[in-house]
Amino acid sequence: MTSANQAATRRPISVEEFEAFSALFGGNAVFVEELYAKYLENPNAVDPSWRDMFRELHDDARTAQANLTKGSWADHHTQVIGAKDPEEAKAANTNKKGPAATEELLKQVSFESVRALMLIRAYRVRGHFHANLDPLNLEERKPHPELDPATYGFSDDDWDKEIYIHGVLGRQKATLREIMDILNRTYCSTIGLEFMHIQSPEQKAWIQSRFEDGVGTPRLTNEEKKATLKELIEVESFENFLQLKFPSMKRFSVQGGDPMVPGVEMAIRTAASLGIEDINIGMPHRGRMNVLTSVMKKPFLELFSLFHGNLDYPEGVASSGDVKYHLGTSTDRDFGSKKVHMTLAANPSHLEAVDPVVLGRVRAKQDLKGDTERTRCMGILMHGDAAFAGQGLVAEVLSLSQLDAYKTGGTLHVIVNNQIGFTTNPKSGRSSPYSTDVAKMVGAPIFHINGDDPEAVVYACRLATEYLIEFRADVIVDIICYRKYGHNESDEPMFTQPRMYKEIRRHTLPATLYGQRLISEGTVSQSDVDKIFEQYRERFDKEFEDARTFRPNAADWLQGQWSGFARPEGEHPDVDTGADPKLLKEVGLAISKHPEGYDINPKILRQLDSKKEMIEKGEDIDWATGEALAFGTLLKQGYPVRMTGQDVERGTFSHRHAVLTDQTDERKYVPLNNLGDKQASLTIYNSNLSEFAVLGYEYGYSQASPNTLTLWEAQFGDFVNGAQVIIDQFISSAEMKWLRMSGLVMLLPHGYEGQGPEHSSARLERFLQLCAQDNMQVANCTSPANYFHILRRQLLRNFRKPLIMMSPKSLLRHRLCVSSLKDFAKGTTFQPVLGEVDKLKSKIRRVVLTSGKVYYDLLEARREKKIDDVAILRLEQYYPFPARKLAEALKPYKDAELVWCQEEPRNMGAWTFVSPFIEEVLEQAKSKQDRLLYVGRPAAASPACGYLKLHNQEQQGLVAEALGIN
């Protein structure tokens, strides 16, 4: 046995596989076996180029081995590759199998085979650098040395010499000239392919076989070609019509990137044919007008109506609206026997912010359909090249793609690559060769396509969709094109890109180019093309006039899963959120149990025993138990609960323990999913270290599944800063902009415990500044029972509002922050204002109105100092502001002085928001006091100090001032 075979026996590589591998690298036994033996012993002992080849071409070895043992090469050529001479292939193989066949084949190879395979591999890796990708030809394609046969020792005399390549490129033998012809057609045409970075041999082989077996040539039927031409003419005609009628109005034309529309259309048709039933689309503003009409089939009449300045919702529906190029819509489309529901998400100008929202919607719909295989719903995200490279959210979203909490079965990413970002050239906009390079982090295949070749765009979109559904993984289609106008139609691009726009102005648009191509090949005639253009002109003229008087008669928003919901009018009515005492005990005892045979951590066992004691006594229910009771009772009532965030399974502060871990084998047990028969499920996942993408994802989930309690918890409330775009552009404003409701709950640990400026404040003031028009709820509960009720209230009303919850840290185990079981029972409800709990004097000199954790500091200090003429009231909900409830709570204290106490600095927290509301209450009650007094930290630039001693001094000082202690 040779040294290489000896090494092979020490690794999980069969003798047959080794022989096949040797065949791939030529038949020079001494050279191949010794080099391969070195590689097996120590990969670092061989030259990096050989090491990479051994690793990368291992897939080919497996393919070769399979072909040696499974049957006829002639059949393979005839059925798959379409070889011109299957008899020649058959003669070369003669159906021999196993080592004997290998030995015979090895005699036919030489070191030239190794060099040829090195060249082939180089084209697989680098061929895209020589591809014809830029329709404007602005940059000269520079020769890449790895793609030059001379680099591998080939001379001009070798071009017609036959080389044995053992089935690679679909040939057993080929001349260098034939090899180069195949490689250039496959990897250097109008499609440039990046796939060798993929780690999965199966995925890599799938793409390789599709391209090398088909020698890289797009294959469309005549009917598909005609459909593509018609779609391109529709795009160009519509854009030209809008430019004629509204020349100065922004629409962010797609012209120059027109093939995006037939490409996406092909992706949708392909997905439908492969079983996809629901498609959710997110995209930026460029091209949205055409996606709305051509893909989503929104009537041209309705879009023209918007350009006329009409509303897109009926009279009487309260909405601020949004610009046309941000709007979304839903539709159902029939593709023969297949029907697909499609949604285009509304989105803001914050590029890429819609990405996680769309994927959250996809996951919610999969869960609603029971689509655990992720094969019935999918997402399509469209991007600009500058945004895909420049926005960090893209990387965050890609990083979610294979995580259990967020996987959706793959996303099709389509980039409309205008080769410019507003006025910024790619050389100033990214550090990588392509805008798509970030996608390599998840091993996504990348198709770069010349946008002037619509057939290549459509073909690549079909292959990309097939790949996505086959492997349930992300895939990238990069359409390299241009934009006809500037950033918008009124912009002058010649100021900054004169060379590019001189070329664009003399460049023929894709519809005309493709029409000329089909005319020359005889697929259509000039009269056919002219007729299509004329039909669209006539249609647009008619619908343009009809649009002047068009008025929608229904708002597209309370349909599907949202049927039966409504917008609340006026003050939100109280709702009984209490639960049956028997149900409370049933849930409480279930969550205090652990399964037999599980090795549970002793500290957790003590917590479970404590929970059981709480439930049995009906007293001292703590925060975590109150939350579990809320979840459990909702689950028993049939409402699913979904919760994600960093460390939510255990809880950042080790309080929740919703998932128990066996200390021996790390098996997982979720008590809330073991409440007995007939319950919905709790899905709770620790997220990756993202706020922006994860919050956007959960927001999207809540939109598509309104009867699920969807929660996101920040590790510390301060970290919500990283998701501010989602809060500003979606959570706080989507209902008014786009008539889209959400019941998302955000849990933001908040409270001053001396842990420094980044572990104290969830920036309450920022949320309150966003509050208006009944857009969301902001609360800071101080009792487990009130927390229980506010969570249940989210699902027990016939409308949905986001809930921003300032959740506690130290109160999770505070001896006073407890509730009785009766406070959770039927007949009880959420209390936005909590009154005095101690027995005080009848004459009260001061009322301290406060909220959150500082309440307990005040209460303990008052009891310690035996103060009995200062009442303390708690504002549990800031918005909607509970003016009526507060007025009732203040009635007994008409003659008392009223102060507001907070632990946040004066320019932060709730002070600037609540003071006008409270003063209105005082005015209406005809109080002697017309101005509310402030007690708290002075205004500051940093949310909190970083020194515990200083923190304690500040906290003691504000508590003393609030209570009037000298």
Side-chain angles (χ1 to χ4, degrees):
M1 182 180 289
T2 65
S3 59
N5 282 335
Q6 290 171 344
T9 62
R10 295 194 293 271
R11 305 291 288 271
I13 300 173
S14 67
V15 173
E16 291 82 8
E17 183 179 8
F18 172 75
E19 290 173 339
F21 202 89
S22 297
L24 282 174
F25 282 91
N28 189 324
V30 174
F31 173 75
V32 174
E33 294 187 30
E34 288 185 358
L35 191 63
Y36 191 53
K38 285 184 180 180
Y39 173 79
L40 290 176
E41 289 286 355
N42 178 11
N44 294 322
V46 301
D47 183 86
S49 61
W50 280 102
R51 184 168 64 244
D52 291 344
M53 279 211 310
F54 281 129
R55 184 178 63 250
E56 296 286 356
L57 288 177
H58 199 266
D59 303 345
D60 284 342
R62 292 185 183 278
T63 302
Q65 176 195 353
N67 288 331
L68 285 169
T69 57
K70 73 182 180 182
S72 171
W73 269 101
D75 292 343
H76 180 68
H77 274 255
T78 303
Q79 297 172 12
V80 180
I81 301 168
K84 295 179 180 178
D85 190 358
E87 291 302 318
E88 176 187 350
K90 185 175 181 179
N93 183 68
T94 62
N95 287 323
K96 292 184 179 180
K97 302 177 183 179
T102 305
E103 184 177 352
E104 181 177 323
L105 294 173
L106 286 174
K107 294 177 182 177
Q108 303 179 46
V109 299
S110 66
F111 187 61
E112 288 176 336
S113 300
V114 177
R115 292 188 283 131
L117 287 164
M118 291 172 69
L119 175 63
I120 291 167
R121 179 184 178 278
Y123 269 81
R124 290 170 178 168
V125 177
R126 310 262 187 248
H128 52 88
F129 285 128
H130 278 193
N132 175 23
L133 299 179
D134 182 7
L136 302 177
N137 290 312
L138 294 177
E139 300 292 336
E140 182 181 355
R141 284 178 282 166
K142 298 178 181 178
H144 197 292
E146 290 184 29
L147 303 180
D148 184 353
T151 300
Y152 307 94
F154 291 108
S155 67
D156 291 345
D157 296 334
D158 295 323
W159 278 76
D160 293 308
K161 185 183 297 183
E162 199 169 57
I163 304 169
Y164 188 78
I165 56 175
H166 192 69
V168 178
L169 300 180
R171 308 284 289 272
Q172 291 203 62
K173 295 179 181 179
T175 65
L176 179 60
R177 190 179 305 279
E178 290 170 331
I179 290 171
M180 290 298 293
D181 178 62
I182 293 172
L183 291 176
N184 279 301
R185 280 185 287 139
T186 302
Y187 294 113
C188 303
S189 63
T190 52
I191 300 178
L193 184 61
E194 290 190 271
F195 72 103
M196 292 295 281
H197 58 277
I198 299 174
Q199 296 299 310
S200 164
E202 184 183 6
Q203 293 174 13
K204 191 155 50 178
W206 190 94
I207 293 175
Q208 186 174 302
S209 67
R210 293 302 189 280
F211 270 76
E212 293 183 358
D213 289 356
V215 292
T217 305
R219 290 164 289 184
L220 300 184
T221 66
N222 281 345
E223 290 306 309
E224 288 172 337
K225 292 178 180 181
K226 291 176 183 178
T228 298
L229 176 62
K230 184 177 180 182
E231 288 157 5
L232 289 171
I233 292 174
E234 179 181 328
V235 171
E236 183 172 321
S237 300
F238 184 50
E239 292 285 4
N240 289 342
F241 187 85
L242 291 175
Q243 182 66 15
L244 176 67
K245 298 295 185 180
F246 307 100
S248 61
M249 194 172 288
K250 291 181 183 179
R251 67 178 187 278
F252 295 95
S253 165
V254 76
Q255 282 187 290
D258 315 47
M260 175 267 284
V261 173
V264 170
E265 182 74 8
M266 174 57 80
I268 292 168
R269 290 179 178 275
T270 303
S273 71
L274 295 174
I276 295 294
E277 304 166 356
D278 196 300
I279 295 176
N280 285 256
I281 302 173
M283 69 176 300
H285 36 277
R286 188 162 310 284
R288 183 175 288 258
M289 300 292 102
N290 272 287
V291 170
L292 282 167
T293 54
S294 298
V295 177
M296 301 302 297
K297 303 304 179 185
K298 187 179 182 73
F300 292 104
L301 171 74
E302 293 186 21
L303 213 53
F304 288 144
S305 175
L306 295 179
F307 276 93
H308 283 308
N310 300 327
L311 300 178
D312 65 334
Y313 47 85
E315 296 285 347
V317 175
S319 173
S320 65
D322 201 353
V323 292
K324 297 174 286 296
Y325 41 84
H326 288 173
L327 300 179
T329 191
S330 296
T331 189
D332 291 305
R333 290 192 58 187
D334 289 313
F335 299 98
S337 61
K338 305 290 186 178
K339 187 173 184 178
V340 177
H341 180 72
M342 295 170 50
T343 302
L344 173 64
N347 67 286
S349 288
H350 289 64
L351 297 173
E352 307 299 334
V354 77
D355 297 356
V357 177
V358 168
L359 299 187
R361 291 179 61 88
V362 173
R363 176 62 176 256
K365 291 184 176 185
Q366 290 173 342
D367 290 350
L368 288 169
K369 291 175 179 284
D371 180 18
T372 57
E373 297 299 314
R374 320 274 173 222
T375 56
R376 297 166 61 190
C377 307
M378 68 173 279
I380 298 176
L381 294 178
M382 287 178 263
H383 315 265
D385 52 315
F388 199 80
Q391 295 291 306
L393 185 60
V394 172
E396 288 193 35
V397 167
L398 288 168
S399 74
L400 299 180
S401 63
Q402 293 300 317
L403 302 180
D404 287 342
Y406 307 105
K407 61 174 61 172
T408 59
T411 300
L412 175 62
H413 299 268
V414 178
I415 299 173
V416 179
N417 189 337
N418 299 311
Q419 308 186 72
I420 189 172
F422 202 157
T423 65
T424 304
N425 288 323
K427 288 181 180 178
S428 300
R430 62 176 186 261
S431 299
S432 56
Y434 296 109
S435 63
T436 55
D437 286 336
V438 65
K440 292 179 181 177
M441 65 184 280
V442 293
I446 302 167
F447 300 84
H448 303 287
I449 311 126
N450 187 318
D452 267 3
D453 187 351
E455 287 188 18
V457 173
V458 170
Y459 180 65
C461 285
R462 178 163 64 197
L463 284 185
T465 307
E466 291 173 350
Y467 174 93
L468 182 153
I469 294 172
E470 174 73 19
F471 297 108
R472 300 168 205 167
D474 284 34
V475 61
I476 315 295
V477 173
D478 178 25
I479 305 171
I480 300 173
C481 51
Y482 57 92
R483 63 182 193 208
K484 181 179 179 180
Y485 303 100
H487 179 64
N488 59 64
E489 286 66 31
S490 61
D491 187 46
E492 178 49 79
M494 290 291 287
F495 291 158
T496 51
Q497 275 76 30
R499 178 168 166 258
M500 172 183 278
Y501 274 86
K502 284 177 185 176
E503 181 60 36
I504 288 173
R505 286 175 180 174
R506 59 174 173 254
H507 200 78
T508 305
L509 286 168
T512 302
L513 273 179
Y514 191 54
Q516 293 169 352
R517 175 176 167 180
L518 294 190
I519 291 168
S520 67
E521 69 181 38
T523 303
V524 298
S525 66
Q526 183 65 57
S527 63
D528 293 331
V529 175
D530 294 340
K531 183 178 180 180
I532 299 172
F533 271 107
E534 182 59 30
Q535 287 173 340
Y536 278 115
R537 277 193 293 269
E538 292 176 356
R539 179 179 176 183
F540 294 153
D541 281 332
K542 181 180 185 308
E543 297 205 25
F544 177 79
E545 292 304 319
D546 293 344
R548 294 182 186 276
T549 57
F550 173 78
R551 294 293 183 273
N553 58 17
D556 169 27
W557 62 311
L558 296 178
Q559 300 175 3
Q561 292 293 323
W562 286 92
S563 297
F565 288 91
R567 262 181 158 178
E569 295 182 4
E571 189 173 340
H572 299 175
D574 291 338
V575 57
D576 183 358
T577 48
D580 185 279
K582 290 183 179 179
L583 178 58
L584 288 168
K585 286 201 169 185
E586 178 186 346
V587 172
L589 292 175
I591 62 174
S592 63
K593 293 178 181 177
H594 65 277
E596 292 184 11
Y598 269 69
D599 180 11
I600 304 297
N601 187 287
K603 294 180 180 179
I604 304 300
L605 288 176
R606 287 196 293 272
Q607 287 192 30
L608 297 180
D609 290 341
S610 179
K611 285 186 191 299
K612 183 179 180 182
E613 185 178 354
M614 292 175 197
I615 299 300
E616 289 175 341
K617 289 184 176 179
E619 298 293 340
D620 298 328
I621 309 295
D622 64 12
W623 193 272
T625 305
E627 178 186 83
L629 289 173
F631 291 172
T633 52
L634 287 171
L635 294 171
K636 290 293 286 184
Q637 289 176 253
Y639 295 104
V641 177
R642 175 183 168 89
M643 186 178 200
T644 69
Q646 295 151 23
D647 313 297
V648 295
E649 294 179 10
R650 189 201 77 174
T652 298
F653 309 102
S654 196
H655 70 289
R656 180 174 290 118
H657 295 290
V659 179
L660 304 181
T661 303
D662 187 289
Q663 300 295 289
T664 303
D665 57 16
E666 297 194 358
R667 285 176 298 163
K668 304 296 183 182
Y669 177 77
V670 182
L672 281 166
N673 281 333
N674 291 274
L675 302 177
D677 297 334
K678 296 182 180 178
Q679 69 159 96
S681 64
L682 165 70
T683 51
I684 181 166
Y685 298 99
N686 290 338
S687 76
N688 69 343
L689 207 63
S690 158
E691 289 85 32
F692 196 169
V694 170
L695 180 59
Y697 192 102
E698 299 309 331
Y699 171 78
Y701 195 102
S702 72
Q703 278 199 322
S705 188
N707 284 313
T708 297
L709 181 65
T710 306
L711 308 98
W712 174 73
E713 182 175 68
Q715 189 179 68
F716 281 84
D718 314 61
F719 303 162
V720 75
N721 283 343
Q724 197 65 47
V725 171
I726 298 297
I727 296 161
D728 292 345
Q729 309 306 325
F730 292 94
I731 292 171
S732 66
S733 58
E735 185 175 343
M736 288 307 297
K737 290 191 297 189
W738 308 316
L739 299 178
R740 291 295 179 265
M741 293 195 293
S742 164
L744 178 68
V745 178
M746 294 174 58
L747 301 179
L748 309 178
H750 175 92
Y752 283 55
E753 280 93 5
Q755 297 186 46
E758 272 74 60
H759 295 84
S760 298
S761 174
R763 293 294 190 175
L764 169 62
E765 65 279 355
R766 294 182 180 171
F767 290 99
L768 294 177
Q769 186 183 39
L770 296 170
C771 289
Q773 298 181 299
D774 197 17
N775 61 335
M776 58 185 181
Q777 308 154 105
V778 183
N780 193 353
C781 295
T782 56
S783 82
N786 235 11
Y787 178 47
F788 166 91
H789 289 297
I790 203 169
L791 289 178
R792 284 176 53 79
R793 190 177 72 170
Q794 284 297 99
L795 293 188
L796 298 182
R797 301 184 294 194
N798 71 336
F799 61 90
R800 296 288 181 262
K801 299 286 180 183
L803 170 61
I804 316 302
M805 184 74 196
M806 301 289 116
S807 57
K809 295 177 288 183
S810 61
L811 297 191
L812 296 172
R813 294 178 182 82
H814 199 290
R815 61 186 179 84
L816 297 178
C817 185
V818 293
S819 300
S820 298
L821 199 58
K822 60 182 175 57
D823 297 329
F824 299 81
K826 275 287 184 186
T828 58
T829 188
F830 173 73
Q831 298 298 317
V833 179
L834 291 176
E836 180 56 64
V837 297
D838 288 344
K839 187 174 182 180
L840 304 175
K841 284 183 178 179
S842 58
K843 186 171 178 60
I844 300 298
R845 65 178 173 86
R846 172 177 282 193
V847 174
V848 178
L849 184 58
T850 189
S851 69
K853 165 249 170 188
V854 71
Y855 164 75
Y856 290 99
D857 296 337
L858 292 164
L859 182 64
E860 289 185 294
R862 187 184 67 180
R863 289 176 177 176
E864 181 185 344
K865 298 295 184 180
K866 296 182 170 47
I867 299 171
D868 58 3
D869 60 353
V870 176
I872 308 174
L873 276 61
R874 287 170 276 175
L875 187 64
E876 299 279 287
Q877 177 177 290
Y878 304 108
Y879 190 81
F881 189 80
R884 182 173 58 84
K885 297 283 189 182
L886 180 60
E888 292 174 2
L890 290 174
K891 273 183 183 178
Y893 312 109
K894 287 184 178 179
D895 298 326
E897 179 183 48
L898 181 63
V899 303
W900 171 262
C901 177
Q902 67 178 37
E903 52 186 355
E904 302 89 352
R906 187 181 183 117
N907 57 322
M908 302 177 196
W911 164 246
T912 56
F913 179 82
V914 300
S915 55
F917 285 106
I918 296 171
E919 287 171 2
E920 284 181 16
V921 170
L922 293 175
E923 182 181 352
Q924 291 172 7
K926 296 183 170 47
S927 170
K928 296 177 183 178
Q929 181 181 349
D930 59 353
R931 296 300 301 273
L932 183 65
L933 302 178
Y934 170 81
V935 174
R937 287 176 169 82
S942 175
C945 68
Y947 302 101
L948 182 60
K949 184 176 181 179
L950 179 57
H951 161 79
N952 290 335
Q953 290 174 354
E954 291 177 348
Q955 197 77 1
Q956 290 164 9
L958 70 88
V959 168
E961 184 182 354
L963 296 175
I965 301 172
N966 294 327

